[in-house]
Amino acid sequence: MATRRDTQSSAPHIADSHDLIRVQGARVNNLKDVSVEIPKRRLTVFTGVSGSGKSSLVFGTIAAESQRMINETYSAFVQGFMPTLARPEVDVLEGLTTAIIVDQQRMGADVRSTVGTATDANAMLRILFSRLGQPHIGSPQAFSFNVASISGSGAVTLERGGETVKERRTFSITGGMCPRCEGRGSVTDFDLTQLYDDSKSLNEGALTIPGYSMDGWFGRIFNGCGFFDPDKPIRKYTKTELHDLLHKEPTKIKVDNINLTYEGLIPKIRKSFLSKDVDSLQPHIRAFVERAVTFTACPDCGGTRLSEAARSSRIGGVNIADACAMQISDLAGWVRDLDEPSVAPLLATLRKTLDSFVEIGLGYLSLDRPSGTLSGGEAQRVKMIRHLGSSLTDTTYVFDEPTVGLHPHDIQRMNDLLLRLRDKGNTVLVVEHKPETIVIADHVVDLGPGAGTAGGMVCFEGTVEGLRASGTVTGRHFGDRAALKETVRKPTGALEIRGATAHNLRDVDVDIPLGVLVVVTGVAGSGKSSLVHGSIPPGAGVVSVDQTPIRGSRRSNPATYTGLLDPIRKAFAKANGVKPALFSANSEGACPTCNGAGVIFTDLAMMAGVATTCEECEGKRFEASVLDHHLGGRDISEVLAMSVTEAEEFFGSGEARTPAAHKILGRLADVGLGYLSLGQPLTTLSGGERQRLKLATHMSADGGVYVLDEPTAGLHLADVEQLLGLLDRLVDSGKSVIVIEHHQAVMAHADWIIDLGPGAGHDGGRIVFEGTPADLVAARSTLTGEHLAAYVGA
């Protein structure tokens, strides 16, 4: 018996046999019946050129199905409040575990959101000050800049012992919000000359605010309110009339027997335009806000957003505003020195959170930094913080290019974190382009061979050594090292920056050479963006392509985003003698059944909605009569189905020759998007494709200086070569190009390098090197110099 029991116990348990995630027949976006087996509790890296289908496989298939299955464990009532996820197009998905997605979505750019409120650090600090702060001013709410202080009194009616009793009650809530700026930290001042032309009357079109026309509701309200004469020039208004036009509180009025609300222009602009983050506004509204509104630090709270009472309570001479303004690495030291047994568990958790910031390489941030100002890479790492100390195991962590925005010096730290998550028994899936991270993988899945319709297949599965030996695009480029240039271009002038002090810059003076390719580099948080975006005056021929993601619904596509559709519509209209609006799926030419969407959505309440191809237009999005009109033998839906390369040829010669369209298509091909189809919804584009689409759009702008913020984000090694060719062409055509970049291939290709550092936050903000890449490699005086020397093999 004993022998038999021993042999049984040494046999593997059936539960241990589920050690693979199996995907069969995945067809999401451009995937072509992909089947892969991914080992669990290992680090798997997905590689391939930008647009080859990596995100479709990892995020659109594996992570999406895992999240959908978890959501289905909740009751139908709870599911009604959650985002509904459609089942991905895949035949079999086995062995899934709970997926935690850490993507590159920028954090909400709400004016009240800071690094401290986005993590739990602020909440813990508020509790700490409400317990230990002297003088004691109230509960944690008293230290929150999002809670206003209010008080009130009145009679309340109660049922007591069968009788109705009236009692007088008073209440008060002590909040920490600064009453002057309402917790925003800045106050706004309006330049009235930008709101209206005071020589005209309202009916003559005095208002110059976007959307405030006298033809619609505004005209009806202004004409019917009776507070001022709409036919009198504004400069002749009395004080009362001008106050009512600009500042009047919301007031109920009746116009043509319709109940309406009248409100002064300034409170209305504050609510409609200024309650949102300026960067998230439409371009024409943003331009108006930048023209008409000046933001200055609130004089009452000094930009801290907090009331005087909240700032008066201190722990050891430090108030909560000081604590939030400290660099997180310093704040962690301050918290470590606090020793108070009554709040020991809170202090331990707060220390752990702050140490996680430092460990992940964000110790240079402060808790009062607005979350909308974080780069994509910083936002992603802030989201990682809550997972670092997690005791969960056997989960799947899904990362989207975790090394984006990281200096080669910081990549090693990120690699250690990924390996630590794996070693705790988790499955780690990483979409990545950097060879430094691909090297640490246990398993590699390479997708391709091309992008878009030329991709979507698994080209290689196996170890890193196997990838190097394979003939795939990634395998061939894996060992690529850009060489330093033999000769560098001579500058034609210089852009002088004097006394730059934005964020952590230390009174920096620098001359940025013009007419050459300049790369600004340095560790994350050393002050690169502050120097380039904060100190180079906008306007004056500067075209800036930053990291903000392009916004677009599923109705937007490369043709609408780049403005390519306008010349195409006009060419179709001219050739057929009809209106251009007919050739827009968002206007008169739309299929009436699906309203030009191409699909019909069936909403199933708390169940996942179903999208079916419209039977009327067969997914073409246009009315049948519109498709009878042709240009060069093609109808509009066939043109939108073309790839950029095909369309460039089509509009380049013959009957369909359209120079304006051909020019835009040429720019799209230049940035390596020749494979994209013109009508592909923007929502299906990868991060690298969106970045290059934005670059192609900005290339048409009339400017002498191009400022690019990490243009290699989301680009495969093979795509970086094409980008370098594009940058060279821009410089050779007489432009000046300034690139903020960490990629060594771009540094090696530069004519001039400006290196900031030596560290991050208050350890950075200084110029540690200026000169050619060859000089930087020879000197090896900075972290960048050491890594670049190792990269080029010097």
Side-chain angles (χ1 to χ4, degrees), residues 137-392:
I137 59 162
S139 70
Q141 288 188 124
F143 295 94
S144 169
F145 53 75
N146 288 329
V147 179
S149 295
I150 50 174
S151 58
S153 61
V156 293
T157 309
L158 307 169
E159 289 285 337
R160 193 180 289 157
E163 291 183 13
T164 304
V165 184
K166 275 195 173 184
E167 281 185 10
R168 185 165 181 76
R169 294 271 176 93
T170 60
F171 77 94
S172 70
I173 295 171
T174 306
M177 179 188 284
C178 165
R180 170 89 177 259
C181 64
E182 296 183 346
R184 288 196 176 94
S186 61
V187 287
T188 48
D189 203 8
F190 288 84
D191 177 357
L192 298 182
T193 60
Q194 299 292 340
L195 302 188
Y196 54 75
D197 176 351
D198 66 356
S199 63
K200 296 179 178 175
S201 70
L202 289 175
N203 281 336
E204 286 169 346
L207 296 183
T208 53
I209 309 165
Y212 282 59
S213 115
M214 293 295 286
D215 301 335
W217 278 107
F218 285 113
R220 188 176 280 195
I221 290 170
F222 289 141
N223 278 311
C225 66
F227 299 130
F228 39 72
D229 181 358
D231 291 314
K232 183 162 78 171
I234 293 177
R235 63 168 57 144
K236 293 188 175 169
Y237 277 19
T238 62
K239 267 190 178 172
T240 313
E241 286 177 322
L242 193 58
H243 176 272
D244 287 350
L245 174 67
L246 295 176
H247 302 286
K248 196 168 184 69
E249 291 296 308
T251 310
K252 293 270 185 282
I253 58 169
K254 203 163 195 163
V255 179
D256 302 337
N257 286 328
I258 301 170
N259 291 324
L260 297 169
T261 301
Y262 173 82
E263 190 173 15
L265 291 177
I266 286 176
K268 203 159 188 67
I269 291 171
R270 281 212 166 97
K271 279 181 193 166
S272 57
F273 297 164
L274 303 186
S275 60
K276 304 182 185 79
D277 182 64
V278 179
D279 292 334
S280 65
L281 298 171
Q282 290 171 284
H284 68 291
I285 294 176
R286 189 189 320 157
F288 162 74
V289 169
E290 285 167 355
R291 247 189 355 256
V293 184
T294 51
F295 296 89
T296 49
C298 170
D300 287 10
C301 67
T304 60
R305 306 160 175 252
L306 291 157
S307 64
E308 199 176 335
R311 295 190 315 256
S312 69
S313 181
R314 295 172 183 269
I315 301 174
V318 173
N319 65 23
I320 191 166
D322 300 334
C324 289
M326 278 184 200
Q327 187 166 308
I328 289 173
S329 52
D330 298 342
L331 179 61
W334 179 75
V335 172
R336 208 170 285 113
D337 293 340
L338 293 177
D339 183 21
E340 185 60 52
S342 62
V343 289
L346 176 71
L347 283 172
T349 313
L350 181 55
R351 279 186 207 119
K352 199 166 155 190
T353 303
L354 297 175
D355 287 343
S356 295
F357 269 103
V358 178
E359 191 182 349
I360 210 163
L362 293 177
Y364 60 85
L365 295 178
S366 59
L367 294 181
D368 62 2
R369 168 94 175 252
S371 57
T373 63
L374 297 179
S375 70
E378 285 171 335
Q380 186 174 18
R381 281 177 283 152
V382 165
K383 290 180 207 166
M384 280 176 78
I385 282 166
R386 61 185 60 228
H387 305 305
L388 284 187
S390 167
S391 50
L392 285 174

